Amino acid sequence: MFGRLIAPKPRTIEREALEVELDEGRTIVLQRVRDPRSRRLKLSVDERGARLTMPTRCSIAAADRFVAEHRQWLATQLDRYGIDGVPVLERDITAQLPLRGAMLPLQWQPGRFSRLEALDDSLVFTLPARAGDLAIRRAARDFYEAQARADVGRWLPRYLPSLPRAPRRVTFKLMSSQWGSLAPDGSMALDLSLVLARPSAFEYVVVHELCHLIHADHSRAFWREVEARCPHWRDEREYFHGEGRQLKATLRALCGKAAT
């Protein structure tokens, strides 16, 4: 008889975020990924930030040397994407977090449950002693989604009377390039990083998607509907041109792993 074939245990991908100092004292956040499928060291930069992919058996010292040799390349690419100073969410270290176009002071305290909450003009992160990185990111994700839903819930009643119907539902996710979308069934999806933007810009995206309930295209008639509800929409669109990549990179750095 043949013996039972046992499949090899799959090797997992390991990730960690670390700060890297570039030239002139500039500090960035680098996502270091140890991937069993990788055969060589590789640096990449996109709207999510900087990433180093390394083989399983590669040493940390070799990876650090590789990054040091490509510091200028990293700086150039990050400038190209407009990404700089993306925050790192570290327990008892991170002192402020972004919300609605501002940086709010952050306090850490022990507690039974992982929870991030807003109190007046500051934030409080409560964590059990054994809470790990994933729990911290999940709590951040839950907080930001709750804040985003509160904003949308506050704005919707203002626009619903002039629309043919209400959105079927509203969901939040991480989007690579879009800020929002409206499905044929009326379901609205919004980029969670909108809650980090100034409120007027976030509201413009909501108006934009609501107007697709009237016109599914981007015709002149559609833009007239947007103009009637958001006369300053051009200013908000320009804001995203300048700040959009930074917003997306920041949200991914803070809770991207917990948002998948």
Side-chain angles (χ1 to χ4, degrees), residues 6-210:
I6 301 177
K9 185 178 180 180
R11 289 174 290 180
T12 59
I13 297 176
E14 300 174 3
R15 298 181 174 88
E16 63 177 323
L18 63 151
E19 292 188 351
V20 174
E21 186 172 336
L22 302 181
D23 295 336
E24 301 178 356
R26 177 183 177 187
T27 301
I28 67 163
V29 175
L30 177 71
Q31 294 293 326
R32 188 163 62 194
V33 181
R34 193 181 290 274
D35 190 339
R37 298 167 299 180
S38 177
R39 296 293 177 264
R40 60 185 178 86
L41 287 165
K42 179 183 177 182
L43 275 172
S44 59
V45 177
D46 57 21
E47 71 279 352
R48 296 170 294 182
R51 175 188 177 106
L52 172 67
T53 305
M54 54 192 295
T56 302
R57 296 185 178 181
C58 179
S59 69
I60 296 299
D64 289 343
R65 286 196 301 269
F66 184 79
V67 172
E69 293 168 358
H70 293 82
R71 285 184 300 179
Q72 186 56 53
W73 182 88
L74 270 176
T76 300
Q77 295 301 310
L78 289 167
D79 288 341
R80 174 188 173 194
Y81 278 93
I83 299 170
D84 192 14
V86 177
V88 177
L89 186 55
E90 294 185 274
R91 182 175 189 157
D92 297 325
I93 296 178
T94 303
Q96 56 182 1
L97 286 176
L99 180 66
R100 299 188 180 97
M103 295 298 294
L104 300 183
L106 174 66
Q107 298 178 2
W108 299 83
Q109 66 180 25
R112 293 182 59 189
F113 305 102
S114 300
R115 182 175 66 252
L116 175 60
E117 57 186 335
L119 298 177
D120 298 325
D121 293 327
S122 64
L123 304 175
V124 177
F125 218 133
T126 304
L127 289 172
R130 296 185 179 181
D133 180 68
L134 184 58
I136 294 174
R137 290 177 179 274
R138 283 176 175 167
R141 161 78 194 223
D142 291 344
F143 168 76
Y144 280 124
E145 182 166 341
Q147 294 294 311
R149 287 194 178 280
D151 288 344
V152 173
R154 187 171 63 254
W155 295 326
L156 274 179
R158 185 185 314 164
Y159 302 108
L160 290 181
S162 63
L163 299 173
R165 65 186 188 279
R168 183 176 180 181
R169 64 176 178 270
V170 179
T171 59
F172 292 90
K173 57 184 181 179
L174 276 68
M175 299 181 172
S176 296
S177 56
Q178 291 180 300
W179 292 103
S181 64
L182 189 76
D185 68 354
S187 299
M188 181 190 298
L190 297 170
D191 190 335
L192 184 56
S193 61
L194 285 167
V195 76
L196 307 184
R198 66 189 188 193
S200 59
F202 185 178
E203 187 174 2
Y204 154 65
V205 174
V206 173
V207 169
H208 184 113
E209 299 308 328
L210 289 175

